[in-house]
Amino acid sequence: MRYRRVTRWQTLPLLTGVALAALVAQNPALAAGSTRGDHQSTQVQASYTAYDDTYYEDAIGKTGESLRTALHQIISTDTQKLSYSQVWDALKATDEDPANPANVVLLYTGRSQSKDSNGGGADQWNREHVWAKSHGDFGTATGPGTDIHHLRPTDVSVNSTRGNKDFDLGGSEVEEAPGNLTDEDSFEPRDEVKGDVARMIFYMAVRYEGEDGFADLEVNEKVGNGSNPFLGRLSVLRKWSAEDAPSDFEKRRNQVIFDKYQHNRNPFIDHPEWVDEIWK
């Protein structure tokens, strides 16, 4: 087996043994997770997780292409794939509102909405492919089309507004989703989820490398990628990942996917510093 299932998760600075214990004892704030609302630019530091000695064992200490190859193998091994219909119930668990278990939190609007109001009608929520499914033409096929690491509940009309646009800065504010901007060929999500979006995109680029009949997904520096298996803009996504650190909501979501559904993790939530180790 590649890993032992661990239920406890936390992020700490990358120190080991007595030095780690002593430093945390002197400064308990080092053990605190990030929270929504802090969107100032931050320096991403190396981190230690409870999975480094098990799940990520083959990746620790690697950089560049060696790290990418190791992570691809880790997150592609012993996974459970969902059907597109199973995604509905999975999202009701992964994106549950911590303040109201009957609701989910919608990605772009931040609105808390009844889990049962899913569908295709106005003001309902549906399944947004953050890596637009036309970028690589994988549709809703089991695999990238049903991978809940990048599928999120969104308002139906806001989902339509985003469409298959790449991610970039600027544009006009989306009327139904204040804080989100869009223009002809790009979409900029609200500050609270910029890092979430970036880390989902980086996960997809490492998870899907042209195997199993699907395209090799790659992040590039362009917008307007159309049906090519590319999504941009890389420099902007890197910036978003650095400025919006993983939140408690994002960490919980990663854990639920690992424990209950796909049994794999988004490594860029656990180790956000790995973004700059792979994409330089």
Side-chain angles (χ1 to χ4, degrees):
M1 289 293 290
R2 174 167 296 278
Y3 60 88
R4 301 189 302 272
R5 193 66 55 79
V6 184
T7 57
R8 178 176 171 267
W9 189 97
Q10 63 180 356
T11 301
L12 297 172
L14 183 57
L15 295 169
T16 58
V18 176
L20 174 60
L23 184 56
V24 172
Q26 293 172 16
N27 188 1
L30 289 173
S34 64
T35 58
R36 290 281 189 234
D38 180 8
H39 310 295
Q40 301 301 314
S41 180
T42 59
Q43 182 178 2
V44 178
Q45 296 181 334
S47 57
Y48 172 82
T49 83
Y51 293 100
D52 285 3
D53 298 329
T54 53
Y55 188 73
Y56 292 123
E57 181 180 8
D58 292 343
I60 299 301
K62 292 183 170 65
T63 61
E65 282 301 312
S66 295
L67 175 60
R68 179 173 183 151
T69 299
L71 291 177
H72 170 72
Q73 184 66 25
I74 291 167
I75 66 178
S76 303
T77 300
D78 297 329
T79 62
Q80 176 71 40
K81 296 179 180 179
L82 306 180
S83 70
Y84 198 45
S85 61
Q86 288 175 318
V87 167
W88 286 121
D89 285 338
L91 294 185
K92 293 176 182 180
T94 60
D95 291 72
E96 180 178 287
D97 183 351
N100 185 349
N103 287 8
V104 292
V105 178
L106 307 191
L107 177 64
Y108 298 131
T109 62
R111 186 170 74 238
S112 178
Q113 185 160 321
S114 171
K115 291 179 178 179
D116 296 330
S117 64
N118 59 301
D123 297 324
Q124 290 186 308
W125 64 268
N126 61 4
R127 298 159 290 187
E128 155 77 327
H129 291 78
V130 177
W131 186 294
K133 58 183 181 290
S134 64
H135 289 233
D137 195 29
F138 53 75
T140 58
T142 298
T146 63
D147 193 319
I148 54 176
H149 275 296
H150 86 115
L151 282 161
R152 300 292 293 268
T154 57
D155 177 272
V156 168
S157 54
V158 176
N159 188 345
S160 179
T161 297
R162 188 267 159 139
N164 71 344
K165 296 174 182 176
D166 293 83
F167 293 104
D168 200 3
L169 299 171
S172 302
E173 189 166 66
V174 178
E175 183 177 352
E176 289 189 73
N180 297 265
L181 305 174
T182 191
D183 56 24
E184 290 184 358
D185 56 14
S186 70
F187 190 89
E188 178 181 351
R190 60 194 176 99
D191 289 346
E192 290 84 353
V193 296
K194 279 182 165 68
D196 307 51
V197 165
R199 286 179 284 273
M200 286 185 277
I201 296 304
F202 292 132
Y203 163 87
M204 291 292 285
V206 171
R207 171 66 179 87
Y208 297 99
E209 298 280 21
E211 302 163 349
D212 302 326
F214 297 111
D216 180 3
L217 305 184
E218 296 291 344
V219 188
N220 67 9
E221 193 57 27
K222 299 179 180 179
V223 294
N225 279 295
S227 61
N228 294 310
F230 310 127
L231 200 146
R233 182 178 307 263
L234 173 59
S235 59
V236 172
L237 292 166
R238 286 180 61 191
K239 183 174 185 288
W240 290 351
S241 180
E243 291 183 345
D244 178 30
S247 68
D248 290 341
F249 186 93
E250 194 179 358
K251 293 174 186 176
R252 177 193 172 277
R253 189 175 197 278
N254 197 28
Q255 192 68 47
V256 172
I257 293 172
F258 181 67
D259 287 338
K260 295 184 61 176
Y261 295 101
Q262 294 180 184
H263 309 308
N264 69 346
R265 304 183 69 81
N266 182 335
F268 305 107
I269 296 173
D270 294 333
H271 281 279
E273 76 277 5
W274 281 346
V275 169
D276 287 338
E277 290 291 347
I278 294 175
W279 292 276
K280 300 181 179 181

